[in-house]
């Protein structure tokens, strides 16, 4: 569903070659007010102008897709976006910033790659939110201040996760395919630059995950396998997972989750494994 609405959502956002070479500050400090705060300048008060501008541009794009949990300084979503704005030099982030920064006068140059580049960024954002949601993220230094650090993970395996230059297709447990093929040729070929890759499988079973399942998983619209079994996840399963219409296998067994499995998975004949206290009409 996300994919179908991208054309309308992007509007005149077009491709542009990013040429900025400014160095971003490496120390990220933000106010922690313990509640909602829409003032981006307060969140990013100790960051330079380039980081603040990246944050504003990316947050506007993310909210276009209905992701509204950015409000509140210490939400996992906001921390993930702050980390991306501060540290992430990946192709996916650079590409989407190029689109955002393109002048409207060049609108006629828009091509089919724009949707792919938006999708690539949204998937990267979704996985970074997931990482923040299942790891210790911040260290409180006083009643009013917190310092954003590289998340301290308890995962058994986290190879390449949060690598600032690497494709998410190199991250442990993530499987990709080329968007423009049949899913076989080029599978997991992360070095082929002519084709955008999409995440088709996320398997982090038996990986000592703690925390919650963020709703941003819904942005992985090409996902066919989601296996988070035998971890220590807790809280409610996201209510809206309508973006996962291609899901064929869902395994959430062995966690402390609650809630219900959306009927869309039952309607699609997906293979579903969940604990007995989770509501499911076809399990």
């Amino acid at each position: 569903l996300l994919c179908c609405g991208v054309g309308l959502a992007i509007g005149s956002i077009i491709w542009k070659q990013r040429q900025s070479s400014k160095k971003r500050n490496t120390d990220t400090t933000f106010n922690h007010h313990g509640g909602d705060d829409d003032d981006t300048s307060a969140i990013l008060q100790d960051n330079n102008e380039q980081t603040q501008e990246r944050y504003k541009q990316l947050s506007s794009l993310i909210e276009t897709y209905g992701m509204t949990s950015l409000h509140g300084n210490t939400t996992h979503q906001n921390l993930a976006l702050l980390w991306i704005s501060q540290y992430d030099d990946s192709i996916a982030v650079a590409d989407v910033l190029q689109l955002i920064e393109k002048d409207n006068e060049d609108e006629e140059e828009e091509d089919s790659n724009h949707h792919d580049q938006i999708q690539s960024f949204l998937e990267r954002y979704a996985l970074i939110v997931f990482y923040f949601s299942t790891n210790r993220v911040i260290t409180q230094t006083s009643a009013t201040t917190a310092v954003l650090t590289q998340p301290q993970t308890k995962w058994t395996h986290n190879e390449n996760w949060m690598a600032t230059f690497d494709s998410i297709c190199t991250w442990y447990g993530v499987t990709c395919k080329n968007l423009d093929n049949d899913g076989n040729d080029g599978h997991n070929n992360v070095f082929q630059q002519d084709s955008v890759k999409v995440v088709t499988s996320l398997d982090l079973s038996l990986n000592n995950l703690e925390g919650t399942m963020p709703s941003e998983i819904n942005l992985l619209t090409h996902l066919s396998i989601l296996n988070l079994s035998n971890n220590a996840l807790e809280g409610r399963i996201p209510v809206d997972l309508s973006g996962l219409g291609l899901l064929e296998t869902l395994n959430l067994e062995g966690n402390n989750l609650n809630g219900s499995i959306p009927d869309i998975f039952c309607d699609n004949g997906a293979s579903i494994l969940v604990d007995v206290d989770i509501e499911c009409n076809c399990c």
Side-chain angles (χ1 to χ4, degrees):
L1 293 177
L2 281 173
C3 294
C4 295
V6 169
L8 293 176
I10 326 178
S12 62
I13 299 176
I14 327 273
W15 170 275
K16 183 172 84 172
Q17 178 64 41
R18 184 176 180 84
Q19 297 179 340
S20 174
S21 59
K22 296 179 182 178
K23 180 180 178 181
R24 292 188 295 279
N25 182 14
T26 57
D27 296 321
T28 306
T29 304
F30 59 93
N31 284 344
H32 177 204
H33 301 291
D36 289 347
D37 186 354
D38 295 341
D39 187 355
T40 300
S41 63
I43 299 172
L44 301 170
Q45 64 174 0
D46 292 331
N47 289 274
N48 61 30
E49 292 182 1
Q50 185 186 22
T51 299
Q52 293 184 38
E53 185 61 24
R54 282 164 60 103
Y55 180 96
K56 291 176 183 178
Q57 291 174 327
L58 295 174
S59 63
S60 177
L61 174 64
I62 290 167
E63 289 180 344
T64 298
Y65 291 88
M67 301 292 110
T68 58
S69 299
L70 296 173
H71 304 293
N73 292 342
T74 56
T75 65
H76 297 127
Q77 291 81 1
N78 193 63
L79 293 174
L81 183 56
L82 182 58
W83 186 91
I84 292 171
S85 302
Q86 182 70 29
Y87 299 115
D88 199 334
D89 292 312
S90 65
I91 293 175
V93 173
D95 281 354
V96 81
L97 287 171
Q98 290 163 2
L99 295 178
I100 293 171
E101 292 174 355
K102 185 64 178 177
D103 293 334
N104 289 338
E105 62 189 36
D106 295 326
E107 182 175 357
E108 64 273 9
E109 297 181 9
E110 183 172 350
D111 59 45
S112 60
N113 289 331
H114 299 162
H115 164 268
D116 299 345
Q117 292 155 358
I118 295 288
Q119 179 66 26
S120 181
F121 167 74
L122 291 175
E123 290 190 345
R124 189 177 184 89
Y125 168 70
L127 291 180
I128 292 174
V129 172
F130 183 87
Y131 195 76
F132 272 73
S133 297
T134 55
N135 286 291
R136 182 180 179 185
V137 176
I138 61 173
T139 302
Q140 298 285 348
T141 58
S142 71
T144 59
T145 306
V147 176
L148 178 64
T149 62
Q150 182 77 4
Q152 300 175 7
T153 185
K154 293 183 179 180
W155 289 15
T156 305
H157 295 283
N158 71 326
E159 290 85 350
N160 292 330
W161 276 77
M162 309 296 281
T164 58
F165 289 98
D166 292 346
S167 163
I168 57 177
C169 301
T170 68
W171 295 3
Y172 175 83
V174 177
T175 300
C176 300
K177 76 172 184 180
N178 292 336
L179 189 61
D180 59 353
N181 65 22
D182 60 6
N184 296 313
D185 294 338
H187 189 71
N188 259 350
N189 182 3
V190 298
F191 301 105
Q192 182 181 344
Q193 296 300 318
D194 295 333
S195 175
V196 172
K197 285 130 188 102
V198 293
V199 177
T200 57
S201 175
L202 180 62
D203 186 348
L204 295 171
S205 56
L206 290 166
N207 205 39
N208 201 31
L209 306 184
E210 298 179 353
T212 59
M213 282 182 64
S215 59
E216 281 69 20
I217 264 201
N218 202 38
L219 295 173
L220 303 176
T221 56
H222 293 270
L223 204 64
S224 61
I225 298 173
L226 178 60
N227 188 352
L228 304 177
S229 62
N230 298 301
N231 286 293
L233 296 172
E234 57 186 7
R236 290 189 63 83
I237 296 170
V239 174
D240 183 12
L241 293 176
S242 58
L244 305 184
L246 299 179
L247 200 68
E248 298 174 356
T249 301
L250 175 65
N251 191 344
L252 301 177
E253 281 187 319
N255 289 285
N256 298 310
L257 295 166
N258 57 68
S260 61
I261 299 299
D263 287 340
I264 185 175
F265 301 144
C266 299
D267 297 339
N268 292 344
S271 172
I272 303 173
L273 295 172
V274 294
D275 294 320
V276 293
D277 52 347
I278 293 178
E279 297 179 18
C280 179
N281 292 329
C282 57
C283 300

